[in-house]
Amino acid sequence: KKKILKNQTESLIANGKKYFEEKKFAQAEQTFRKALQINPNYEGTVDCLIKLERARLEYAERRIRELTAKGRVYMKLNQFDKADECFKNLLQMEEEKIKNEEMSKEVIALIEEGGKYFKDEQFNEARERLQKALEINPNSFRVVFWLAKLDKSVEKHTEQRIRQLMNDGEDALSKEEFAQAENKFREVDRKSVV
């Protein structure tokens, strides 16, 4: 199973890198996120998402310089309609940047809260905070990473709990405490369905 997950992850990363090279950033991000969900512990995925975010920022900075230069040239040429269009685009980009910074602060606070609940093994509360953060910013790879990590931890915690219940049930059976054994095994059934 681990080998299959590794192969799936590596295949998705390769596809994501191809999209990245083609400047198809949205498709690259989507592919890297899938890889992260499949295998949150695969370090290469996070590195790719960081590189992608850096490329987006560099693109935005180049676009700002380009629009500023064009706007100035159009002003000098008395082509005010074209200059106005450049400056409107700049203003829109600046408003988007401010909005993203405000969202980032809220998302970071929710991630920190989710992390605290996660460490205390209060998984439902952690998931609630992280889901809210994802609603605010569906493009936050940090939130996707934490949700994937949370899923793996819940799975591991559930497996450990089931093993403990099975051991307790078998122990109760060996002591001929049949009612207690039955309760333990029924709880295993409930945990297995979840």
Side-chain angles (χ1 to χ4, degrees):
K1 183 178 176 182
K2 287 183 181 182
K3 187 174 182 177
I4 292 171
L5 288 178
K6 183 180 179 193
N7 289 342
Q8 286 177 335
T9 303
E10 288 174 352
S11 174
L12 285 167
I13 288 174
N15 289 338
K17 286 180 178 179
K18 180 179 163 229
Y19 289 132
F20 179 82
E21 290 170 9
E22 295 170 356
K23 306 279 191 249
K24 296 178 181 177
F25 295 138
Q27 290 170 304
E29 180 178 7
Q30 190 176 41
T31 306
F32 292 143
R33 285 177 185 274
K34 283 181 188 175
L36 189 61
Q37 286 177 328
I38 289 172
N39 190 349
N41 297 321
Y42 195 85
E43 289 182 33
T45 310
V46 175
D47 293 339
C48 289
L49 283 164
I50 290 169
K51 187 185 269 187
L52 176 65
E53 190 61 28
R54 196 175 300 133
R56 278 187 174 154
L57 290 172
E58 289 170 4
Y59 173 79
E61 289 172 10
R62 278 194 310 273
R63 184 79 176 125
I64 288 169
R65 286 192 302 270
E66 177 186 307
L67 286 170
T68 302
K70 277 184 176 180
R72 287 179 180 159
V73 168
Y74 287 136
M75 290 290 288
K76 288 178 184 178
L77 296 173
N78 292 328
Q79 294 181 10
F80 299 113
D81 289 344
K82 289 182 179 180
D84 187 48
E85 189 64 32
C86 289
F87 295 133
K88 281 182 183 177
N89 286 336
L90 279 170
L91 183 60
Q92 184 179 7
M93 289 177 75
E94 184 64 28
E95 288 171 355
E96 188 68 27
K97 181 180 174 186
I98 291 168
K99 179 182 161 194
N100 287 338
E101 286 172 359
E102 289 171 2
M103 281 190 336
S104 290
K105 289 177 186 174
E106 189 173 354
V107 167
I108 288 168
L110 287 165
I111 291 171
E112 287 174 357
E113 283 180 39
K116 288 176 187 172
Y117 283 119
F118 177 83
K119 287 177 186 171
D120 293 338
E121 293 186 357
Q122 296 179 23
F123 299 127
N124 291 335
E125 290 82 359
R127 182 175 307 286
E128 184 180 302
R129 298 316 184 281
L130 294 170
Q131 285 297 137
K132 189 172 181 180
L134 195 60
E135 288 171 17
I136 293 168
N137 185 358
N139 296 320
S140 173
F141 74 87
R142 283 187 220 148
V143 176
V144 173
F145 173 77
W146 271 99
L147 283 168
K149 189 173 179 176
L150 177 65
D151 288 342
K152 292 291 181 186
S153 292
V154 167
E155 183 180 315
K156 183 179 176 183
H157 187 269
T158 301
E159 288 172 4
Q160 289 172 344
R161 181 68 181 136
I162 287 172
R163 274 196 298 278
Q164 182 62 49
L165 289 168
M166 288 296 294
N167 290 338
D168 291 351
E170 290 169 1
D171 188 46
L173 273 178
S174 69
K175 296 177 183 174
E176 297 184 7
E177 297 171 348
F178 301 114
Q180 185 177 359
E182 181 181 9
N183 288 338
K184 298 293 181 186
F185 294 135
R186 285 187 190 274
E187 195 172 341
V188 167
D189 281 342
R190 285 192 299 274
K191 296 267 185 212
S192 297
V193 172
V194 176

